Amino acid sequence: MSRNLMIAVLLVLVGITAWLGYRAFREPVHTDKPPGAWAAQLAGNDEDLRYEAAYMLKSYGAEGVPALVEQLGRYVGKGPGERPDATHEGDPRRLAQQALILIGSPAAPALVEALAWEEELERSMAASALVEIADDDPSVVTESLPRLAALVAHENPMTAGYAGWLVKAHGGSTGVAALEAQLARDADGARQVIQTLGVIDGAPNPTSYLADPRPPVRLAALQVLAGLDANQDHDAVLLGALSDEDEDVRTWAATLLDRGGSQA
């Protein structure tokens, strides 16, 4: 390749990079609009103006979070024919997600709530943003532990999984306490809570919950044991569960023993 051609290619690449940076990060011309006006612009059809709106809403910090979360979830609750299946770089949802990540910690509480959205695409985008924020500032998880612990018990396995991962990664002993408090408050979702506790260092062994006075919790403990490493010997506790007062617990214990202990 000749020197002149190399220079020409380099100039083109620099130009493209500068243009992309200009689109994404340029200072808006009109900066006196309220957040609501920028939110409307972010929802508009002009892609260049959407970049501008995302930049400005980011600059508002915590004040811009509600509008950005609204755009991130703009298709939540819509029917299949009303929402696109994928996102592209200039999609308002993608721009809102990027702006929320840049805002950081002030955006975390709203993103925690977004983990309960019913649409997986938007829910996963919220989770991804929250993971990035938590990696930079783990305190956003510890400050939201009661809510995250409740979401671990959520009926949707993806919501429970996202919340459980955050508690496991950043909750520590305080996360264990939050999960145990959630389990003490409500037996609903006990299986997800015990399962999450089972992968956190220092948390109680799932077998300890076979002594819980509530049958749904004891049953959940057995269901978690069913998925554990078959090399772990739980026959003693399973034999004890054969005399449980609850028929479902007895049935599960007998089934696990027939399968060879904790083999699923």
Side-chain angles (χ1 to χ4, degrees):
M1 181 183 292
S2 70
R3 182 173 182 273
N4 288 339
L5 183 55
M6 290 178 61
I7 293 173
V9 171
L10 179 60
L11 288 174
V12 169
L13 291 174
V14 169
I16 292 172
T17 303
W19 179 74
L20 289 172
Y22 170 78
R23 293 181 71 212
F25 302 112
R26 72 182 188 275
E27 291 283 352
V29 176
H30 306 289
T31 59
D32 56 347
K33 297 180 184 178
W38 290 115
Q41 184 170 310
L42 180 57
N45 294 323
D46 189 306
E47 189 168 313
D48 285 331
L49 293 180
R50 291 203 296 266
Y51 276 93
E52 180 184 62
Y55 177 97
M56 269 309 296
L57 286 169
K58 174 189 72 69
S59 73
Y60 275 100
E63 190 178 351
V65 168
L68 289 166
V69 171
E70 181 180 358
Q71 287 307 307
L72 180 61
R74 62 184 295 174
Y75 295 114
V76 171
K78 303 290 186 182
E82 303 176 86
R83 58 195 313 274
D85 293 328
T87 63
H88 55 85
E89 185 182 351
D91 188 298
R93 293 169 295 177
R94 185 65 65 194
L95 293 175
Q97 180 200 40
Q98 292 167 353
L100 288 163
I101 291 170
L102 291 172
I103 288 173
S105 301
L111 289 169
V112 168
E113 293 303 320
L115 295 179
W117 284 346
E118 60 188 38
E119 277 76 16
E120 175 53 22
L121 175 61
E122 285 81 0
R123 182 172 54 229
S124 66
M125 292 176 72
S128 176
L130 191 54
V131 166
E132 287 203 41
I133 293 170
D135 284 344
D136 288 335
D137 181 8
S139 70
V140 301
V141 170
T142 55
E143 291 168 0
S144 299
L145 277 173
R147 180 56 178 152
L148 285 169
L151 289 174
V152 171
H154 198 278
E155 62 183 1
N156 185 290
M158 297 304 295
T159 294
Y162 291 137
W165 189 92
L166 285 160
V167 174
K168 176 183 182 297
H170 301 293
S173 60
T174 309
V176 171
L179 289 169
E180 290 195 294
Q182 171 63 33
L183 190 60
R185 282 193 301 270
D186 193 348
D188 288 342
R191 181 174 181 174
Q192 300 95 291
V193 174
I194 295 173
Q195 196 163 32
T196 302
L197 284 163
V199 296
I200 299 178
D201 291 339
N205 189 285
T207 58
S208 66
Y209 299 105
L210 290 172
D212 192 281
R214 296 163 296 174
V217 175
R218 300 197 299 275
L219 179 60
L222 285 175
Q223 291 168 338
V224 171
L225 286 176
L228 293 181
D229 186 349
N231 292 322
Q232 298 184 46
D233 185 4
H234 298 296
D235 285 358
V237 294
L238 293 176
L239 287 169
L242 289 176
S243 60
D244 194 279
E245 63 183 25
D246 184 83
E247 181 179 358
D248 289 336
V249 173
R250 295 196 302 271
T251 300
W252 261 88
T255 300
L256 289 178
L257 283 168
D258 287 342
R259 291 178 182 177
S262 60
Q263 299 179 61

